Amino acid sequence: MPMKIKYLKRPLPNDREAPAKWYATPIIDKPETVSAMTRAATENTSTAPLEMQAALGLFGNYARKRLLAGESVRLGDLGTLKVTFRSKGVDNIDDVNAGQMIYDVRLRFTPSKEFREGVINNLTFECGGVLDDGVDYSSLAAYRKAKGLSTEEPGSDGSDPDDSGQGTFG
């Protein structure tokens, strides 16, 4: 199933005076509920959705304890989860204070090579619309039509001649 993207025009972050450029941005749907996810993930298996939900809860408790202890947590073949942060520097050792120095604390997921490649090498994209000057067009063809642009020429990203905006990556 292709990933939906939207094209939007925005100024360059480092040069606000330069003409705005078109960018592709992902359209991220809301995640499924845990119940829906466990039903879908256990479909055609002997594992009950409730068992998977319980296992996720147990793993969440375990991971929280390990992360609070400063350890990284392996998420099966998916990758690793760890705590990262930034720190302000001090000139004198007598001035060190973790509470004042540490900021921007985050949880960082690092996918395994196999998981990362399995996702990235199989991605395909589908245009889910165009956003321009606050107007949300349903498709690239609808945007072109509204702006009086040709809808016959294919996009430069390998899209179909019907301007669906589809492309692959990997």
Side-chain angles (χ1 to χ4, degrees):
M1 177 178 353
M3 179 178 190
K4 290 205 183 267
I5 59 171
K6 185 172 285 195
Y7 299 109
L8 61 104
K9 199 173 195 179
R10 63 177 178 226
L12 295 159
N14 297 337
D15 186 2
R16 297 282 181 192
E17 302 302 316
K21 291 189 175 191
W22 287 100
Y23 294 90
T25 186
I27 298 173
I28 305 296
D29 290 334
K30 291 181 184 177
E32 292 179 315
T33 64
V34 173
S35 179
M37 184 270 299
T38 56
R39 278 194 313 272
T42 59
E43 187 176 31
N44 299 322
T45 71
S46 62
T47 304
L50 194 55
E51 291 174 314
M52 183 175 178
Q53 196 168 342
L56 287 171
L58 292 170
F59 184 77
N61 291 336
Y62 168 80
R64 189 176 297 108
K65 289 177 188 174
R66 300 284 50 92
L67 292 167
L68 289 171
E71 299 174 19
S72 62
V73 177
R74 188 97 171 112
L75 302 170
D77 293 336
L78 300 177
T80 305
L81 190 62
K82 65 182 176 181
V83 174
T84 64
F85 57 81
R86 297 177 71 188
S87 175
K88 298 175 187 170
V90 294
D91 293 324
N92 188 324
I93 189 70
D94 294 330
D95 295 331
V96 297
N97 180 319
Q100 294 175 353
M101 296 171 67
I102 295 173
Y103 67 101
D104 197 20
V105 179
R106 297 175 182 218
L107 289 179
R108 174 137 320 155
F109 172 71
T110 305
S112 68
K113 180 180 176 185
E114 296 79 16
F115 182 71
R116 182 181 187 283
E117 289 175 355
V119 172
I120 291 176
N121 292 342
N122 292 295
L123 273 176
T124 59
F125 301 99
E126 175 180 89
C127 179
V130 176
L131 182 62
D132 186 29
D133 291 328
V135 179
D136 202 353
Y137 300 89
S138 63
S139 68
L140 186 54
Y143 171 80
R144 289 177 172 276
K145 184 177 179 182
K147 296 293 183 175
L149 303 172
S150 169
T151 58
E152 297 299 319
E153 66 183 68
S156 61
D157 64 351
S159 62
D160 293 335
D162 69 356
D163 272 340
S164 66
Q166 294 181 336
T168 59
F169 181 79

